[in-house]
Amino acid sequence: MIPVIKKAWLYTFCLFLLTFGCTSINSSNRENTPNKQTSAPSGITISNAERTNELRDRIEQISHAAQGRVGVTATVLETAQSVTLNGNQQFPMQSVYKFPIAMAVLAQVDQGKLKLDQKIRVETSDVLQGSRILDEKSQGMEFSLAELLKYMVSESDGTSCNVLLRLVGEPRIVTEYLRSLGINDIVVANTEKELAQDPAVKYRNYATPDATVVLLRAFHEGKGLSKSSQALLLQLMTQTTTGSKRIKGLLPDGAVVAHKTGTSSTVNGVTAATNDVGLVTLPNRQHMAIAVFVSDSPANGAIREEVIAKVTKVAWDEWSK
């Protein structure tokens, strides 16, 4: 009986050793077998940083056609994807400054200091060259504040801008309003009349592309304005009649763009400012805030506008994927 028990015990022990050894070998083989998901060759997936660098390189290549200074900042507001070229440099705004002026005017409406339906008399002495509301031979007329806002923003009328600046107090009030929103690199220092009289003055009224996009984000998020004022200004910027070949130039028909342009005169063959800034609704319903400033450029108007259009289009293509 005892020999039988010993044989059974020996058989069990051998079976245990055999089973343990096979398990160890299989486990070792599994550990040494490459994982197809984790050991794929590196470089197949392009990182966000690499894509951003490639986008910036394309924008820089496009900018060379202007033969001047080009500043660009673009951001997808919902995802924080961003690209910038000379984003911290100062550029003359020209009529882009009507965007923060409009915000400051509407802020005073929200505060009860002004009313959209109040009547404001515009005199012949207020008229600037190229005025959309009066010419120098016209008699003075009354306009509502809402009408002047539309002329200033949607049609970039300088006469309306001057009248509204006088209404809020002075240009400095607009800059102080921007500071209250935390915007430090945009300065409104002069009236439209002063800009027209001295070419050097335009450089005192500057913005960086970075700060402009921060302002566009603040506007989009409703900071500094009531919902009704935000909606009104967004509508006026969407109805902009100027600069159709800039931000909107190469975008698909029907693309929703709320923007404000700015253009200086050309002196001795050089144009100080050809600009466009705004909010673009992407196909996925996200929003791109973009600011493109072309400064001190000897290129003709078509080329300067094409630079802005191409910059916008490559950002649109990248972030619409």
Side-chain angles (χ1 to χ4, degrees):
M1 186 69 178
I2 293 174
V4 173
I5 295 173
K6 286 183 177 180
K7 287 181 180 180
W9 180 87
L10 183 60
Y11 174 79
T12 303
F13 179 75
C14 290
L15 183 62
F16 170 78
L17 289 177
L18 181 62
T19 303
F20 179 80
C22 290
T23 302
S24 298
I25 291 170
N26 288 337
S27 175
S28 176
N29 286 341
R30 283 196 300 270
E31 289 175 357
N32 293 330
T33 300
N35 187 316
K36 291 182 180 180
Q37 292 182 338
T38 59
S39 62
S42 62
I44 290 178
T45 302
I46 300 175
S47 70
N48 287 337
E50 289 173 318
R51 294 177 77 100
T52 299
N53 288 337
E54 289 180 2
L55 178 58
R56 185 191 181 282
D57 289 344
R58 292 200 296 274
I59 288 172
E60 188 170 17
Q61 281 296 118
I62 292 167
S63 74
H64 292 162
Q67 305 173 55
R69 287 194 307 130
V70 176
V72 178
T73 300
T75 299
V76 181
L77 298 179
E78 290 81 359
T79 66
Q81 292 167 287
S82 186
V83 66
T84 186
L85 174 70
N86 301 323
N88 61 357
Q89 290 188 19
Q90 297 174 0
F91 292 85
M93 287 188 286
Q94 286 299 126
S95 287
V96 164
Y97 89 155
K98 291 169 183 168
F99 166 45
I101 290 171
M103 288 186 70
V105 170
L106 286 168
Q108 292 199 8
V109 171
D110 292 338
Q111 294 163 10
K113 296 178 181 178
L114 301 173
K115 294 182 178 181
L116 288 173
D117 60 357
Q118 75 180 75
K119 295 297 183 179
I120 302 153
R121 187 166 182 82
V122 180
E123 301 292 353
T124 306
S125 57
D126 295 317
V127 175
L128 299 179
Q129 186 176 3
S131 174
R132 307 289 181 102
I133 58 173
L134 289 175
D135 60 42
E136 294 176 350
K137 297 180 181 179
S138 301
Q139 298 295 319
M141 289 181 60
E142 283 191 343
F143 297 87
S144 70
L145 188 151
E147 288 175 320
L148 291 177
L149 272 172
K150 178 175 175 56
Y151 280 118
M152 179 180 76
V153 177
S154 301
E155 300 189 32
S156 206
D157 180 65
T159 300
S160 302
C161 183
N162 256 11
V163 173
L164 289 172
L165 272 175
R166 186 170 65 222
L167 198 64
V168 298
E170 56 182 317
R172 175 181 57 83
I173 301 299
V174 180
T175 300
E176 290 175 358
Y177 169 74
L178 292 171
R179 298 295 179 268
S180 74
L181 297 178
I183 312 295
N184 295 318
D185 290 319
I186 299 177
V187 172
V188 177
N190 296 93
T191 65
E192 283 273 359
K193 191 170 187 177
E194 290 167 340
L195 286 171
Q197 291 172 340
D198 183 357
V201 167
K202 61 176 63 69
Y203 291 94
R204 300 176 197 161
N205 298 265
Y206 65 81
T208 67
D210 288 349
T212 304
V213 165
V214 173
L215 180 60
L216 287 164
R217 176 185 286 278
F219 172 57
H220 176 73
E221 295 175 350
K223 295 179 180 177
L225 291 177
S226 67
K227 288 186 177 180
S228 59
S229 289
Q230 178 200 32
L232 174 59
L233 183 51
L234 187 66
Q235 177 186 8
L236 295 179
M237 292 174 69
T238 304
Q239 295 172 347
T240 290
T241 60
T242 58
S244 61
K245 294 183 178 180
R246 298 183 191 181
I247 284 178
K248 297 176 71 173
L250 294 174
L251 298 185
D253 291 341
V256 179
V257 179
H259 65 128
K260 186 68 203 79
T261 60
T263 313
S264 72
S265 59
T266 300
V267 179
N268 298 324
V270 176
T271 307
T274 308
N275 310 325
D276 205 358
V277 311
L279 296 167
V280 179
T281 303
L282 298 170
N284 58 11
R285 310 307 298 171
Q286 292 179 342
H287 300 87
M288 174 173 69
I290 184 166
V292 187
F293 294 86
V294 179
S295 186
D296 303 325
S297 171
N300 64 43
I303 291 175
R304 299 193 308 271
E305 291 195 319
E306 186 178 51
V307 166
I308 297 174
K310 286 183 174 180
V311 165
T312 305
K313 185 60 162 57
V314 296
W316 167 283
D317 289 344
E318 175 64 30
W319 293 328
S320 295
K321 295 176 181 177

